[in-house]
Amino acid sequence: MANVSHRGDMTTHPDVSEMRARYARMLGGRDVALVDGPVFLLGLYCAASPWIVHYTASQPALVTHNLIMGIAIGLLALGFTRAPERMYGLSWAMCAMGVWLIIAPWIVGSGPDRGVIINNVVIGALALLLGLLCAGTAAKSTPRP
C-alpha cells in the first residue's frame, strides 16, 4: 500500500495522474464556475430580500418562505461548487424552485403588494435561468457512451 500521508508537492503523489484526469473530467472545462457564484449570490439575496425590500411586517409567511428558499439555493450553489459531478443533476430542482418563487407571493403571501411581487418574480426568473444554465452545463459536460 502506498504511503499517501506525505505533505508537500502533489506531483509525488502516487495517484496524481488519475486525480488530474478525474478533476479535469469533473470540471468539464470549468465554465460552470461562471454559474456557481451568481447562484450563491441569488440565494443570499433571496434569503435577505424580506429585509431589503421591507416586507417583514406585512408578509410574515413570505419572509420565512424566502429565507428558507434562499438558504436552499445557497446550499445548492455550494454543492455545485463542491461536488459538481453529483450535484448538477439537481439543476432541474433549481428550475422548479424558480417557478415556485414566481408564484409564491400569491400562494404563500396574503395580498402582496407590487414590490413583493416584482421581487419574487425577478428572483424566480433568475433562479429558473441559472438552473437552466446549470442543467445545460451538466448536459454538455456529461460523458457520452
Side-chain angles (χ1 to χ4, degrees):
M1 183 167 193
N3 180 13
V4 295
S5 63
H6 64 281
R7 304 261 188 244
D9 190 16
M10 283 298 293
T11 58
T12 60
H13 192 281
D15 298 325
V16 72
S17 60
E18 180 185 335
M19 289 188 307
R20 283 185 180 147
R22 182 173 180 254
Y23 187 71
R25 248 189 355 261
M26 179 178 66
L27 296 180
R30 203 52 189 146
D31 44 346
V32 296
L34 299 173
V35 179
D36 296 347
V39 170
F40 183 75
L41 290 175
L42 181 69
L44 193 62
Y45 175 76
C46 182
S49 67
W51 292 274
I52 294 170
V53 182
H54 302 291
Y55 60 88
T56 54
S58 64
Q59 299 290 329
L62 207 53
V63 170
T64 306
H65 171 269
N66 278 17
L67 181 63
I68 291 169
M69 292 296 287
I71 291 170
I73 291 171
L75 289 174
L76 275 176
L78 291 175
F80 292 159
T81 303
R82 187 79 179 125
E85 270 184 337
R86 290 187 229 140
M87 291 296 292
Y88 273 104
L90 291 175
S91 301
W92 294 109
M94 196 162 120
C95 294
M97 291 168 74
V99 171
W100 173 250
L101 279 164
I102 291 171
I103 62 174
W106 295 282
I107 296 173
V108 177
S110 55
D113 64 356
R114 196 172 91 188
V116 172
I117 293 170
I118 290 172
N119 180 62
N120 267 45
V121 167
V122 168
I123 293 171
L126 287 172
L128 180 61
L129 176 70
L130 290 171
L132 290 171
L133 284 172
C134 288
T137 302
K140 184 175 77 172
S141 66
T142 303
R144 303 278 184 233

